[in-house]
Amino acid sequence: MIRVLLIGNGAREHVIAETVKRSAHDIALFSCMKSNNPGIASLSEEVLTTGYDNREEIGRFAMENTIDFAIIGPEDPLNNGIVDFLKNEGIPSVGPTKSLARLETSKAFTRNLLEKYDIPGNPQFRTFSSLEGIEEFIAPLDGVVVKPDGLTGGKGVMVQGDHFQTKDEAIEQCEKILEKHPSVMVEERFEGEEFSLQCLCDGVTVVATPPVQDHKRRFVGDRGPNTGGMGSYSVEDHSLPFLKKADVAEGLAITRRVAEAIYLETGEYYKGVMYGGFIVTRDGVRLLEYNARFGDPEAMNILPLLKTDFVDICRAVIDGTLKDMDIEFENKATVCKYIVPMGYGLPADHPDADSTSSKIEVLDTKDVNLYYSSVDKKEDGLYMTSSRAIGVVGISDNLDSAEKIAEGAIVSIKGPIDHRPDIGTKKLINKRIQHMKEIRGQ
Ligand code: GLY
């Protein structure tokens, strides 16, 4: 029997739990969650409900249940050093140590690493701890991106043209960020289409999973505030309709060089997921940021397609034997749409913002994969919190039918819910293709 500890309580961890349980090995899954996800709980032998900063309690739970290895889902426990803590107790993890998780938790660490090791993909960038020098730095740039140098749950990036318009407003945004964070990263803005490349890494070998496109904006047509991600799709040929094969290869090549650089820089092997958020520009692929974990929602696109035993992959990541594995995915398309409360993602002073929990009902949804996120199962039914509630994933031979499966299932979820009906549709995909053609000058 292999005893696995999963840390995390979202839809990403629900799909990880499902993928662990699909293993041909005899698996006992133990879960540590900060709130009770009924999907994960139903797959677990035992659940510990605690905060992700409570390393002692998590460590005790892992020791009591003689855990063989842990899988860390979200960034918070990585940032809290749970991997280091478990390592000291003799329990290895799929997930980097606190120091290596800087790949996600410190944008400056990653930008400086690429620069030092001469790895392509960086924009012009600088980190500032005061407003001094920002005006001069941004003056020659066509467009500017500002972000805190720290964790922001995918919602901290402010882009000129989207979130603010002028250079003066860029400086105002920097000022706001510096009120809450010790430093602000200011970068050149790229024009292009984004893709997520989630790579498995044992410290030496890096293996890409199929690319996925996420949709950060809250409303149809890519309007409204940034969210953690409203939905995502992947394609049966393991590319994306606006990508060239060379684009994915470029993202993977950058990630391989980064894995090598991390080892050279720290003397430590990175074991876990390196999820590169890339953008294809007129001049090639550029790096927006790395995350030190699977994407949410992107994990729901790729893990259900995994043909290779995930537990074997986890052990290879830990043992450093990924190079001996042939990791395969089904040639299917996937469309994931997140069901969210109506007020999700809106600023607190917005008239539709609402943080009360509402009841939802899930009727018959047999042809679709459902992954629970921020829902609470009470005696009288299922309640949403104020965050993303359920990931609905359609899987089929092509994108069109995967989208229809996902959309068709959403009518079976009743309550004050919202979602983005445009994700995965021909209309939106064609817009992406057209945009990329214009960028490439075709
Ligand atoms: N899909 C965005 C994230 O996982 O951070």
Side-chain angles (χ1 to χ4, degrees), residues 153-221:
K155 296 164 212 160
V157 181
M158 310 296 279
V159 182
Q160 188 174 359
D162 285 345
H163 305 97
F164 59 89
Q165 301 306 321
T166 64
K167 298 262 170 78
D168 284 345
E169 284 167 3
I171 296 172
E172 280 167 28
Q173 292 296 339
C174 292
E175 195 170 8
K176 279 191 200 151
I177 290 173
L178 286 171
E179 281 164 15
K180 290 196 189 137
H181 300 267
S183 54
V184 59
M185 175 74 86
V186 184
E187 298 182 351
E188 156 197 18
R189 182 193 60 195
F190 291 127
E191 269 292 325
E193 281 293 327
E194 295 181 20
F195 68 100
S196 306
L197 193 64
Q198 301 166 93
C199 295
L200 300 154
C201 179
D202 66 2
V204 176
T205 301
V206 179
V207 180
T209 68
V212 178
Q213 190 172 43
D214 185 18
H215 298 73
K216 286 227 161 292
R217 304 297 281 270
R218 172 66 178 82
F219 296 116
V220 165

Side-chain angles (χ1 to χ4, degrees), residues 14-23 303-304 306 309-311:
H14 188 179
V15 72
I16 293 173
E18 179 192 84
T19 314
V20 166
K21 293 288 284 196
R22 277 204 284 123
S23 169
L303 289 176
L306 188 58
D309 195 308
F310 185 53
V311 170

Side-chain angles (χ1 to χ4, degrees), residues 8 13 16 63 92 99 120 174 189 197 238 263 275 281 291 351 383 390 397 412 428 431:
E13 289 74 34
I16 293 173
M63 296 302 282
S99 164
C174 292
R189 182 193 60 195
L197 193 64
H238 297 170
Y263 179 69
Y275 148 17
T281 72
N291 294 311
Y383 284 79
I390 303 178
D397 294 334
S412 304
L428 192 57
K431 194 173 136 193

Side-chain angles (χ1 to χ4, degrees), residues 113 117-120 206 252-262:
L113 191 78
Y117 290 87
D118 207 14
I119 301 170
V206 179
L252 176 58
I254 291 172
T255 306
R256 288 193 164 133
R257 296 228 13 224
V258 170
E260 187 186 14
I262 286 177

Side-chain angles (χ1 to χ4, degrees), residues 246-293:
D247 298 327
V248 181
E250 226 177 298
L252 176 58
I254 291 172
T255 306
R256 288 193 164 133
R257 296 228 13 224
V258 170
E260 187 186 14
I262 286 177
Y263 179 69
L264 293 172
E265 188 67 12
T266 65
E268 230 190 296
Y269 289 118
Y270 186 104
K271 293 183 179 290
V273 178
M274 296 172 73
Y275 148 17
F278 291 103
I279 183 164
V280 201
T281 72
R282 191 184 43 216
D283 305 317
V285 170
R286 299 287 183 269
L287 175 72
L288 296 174
E289 61 177 16
Y290 273 109
N291 294 311
R293 52 174 172 82

Side-chain angles (χ1 to χ4, degrees), residues 7-10 12-13 16 34 52-53 71-84 95-98 100-107 150-156 216 228 270 273 275 289-296 388:
I7 300 179
N9 58 284
R12 168 185 46 212
E13 289 74 34
I16 293 173
K34 67 178 181 199
Y52 299 141
D53 51 355
I71 304 172
I72 321 298
E75 58 276 25
D76 283 345
L78 295 171
N79 192 34
N80 291 336
I82 192 65
V83 171
D84 311 60
T97 57
K98 183 176 168 72
L100 301 197
R102 282 180 294 162
L103 189 66
E104 172 167 2
T105 60
S106 169
K107 309 299 172 209
L151 286 179
T152 55
K155 296 164 212 160
K216 286 227 161 292
Y270 186 104
V273 178
Y275 148 17
E289 61 177 16
Y290 273 109
N291 294 311
R293 52 174 172 82
F294 281 118
D296 188 352
R388 298 179 293 182

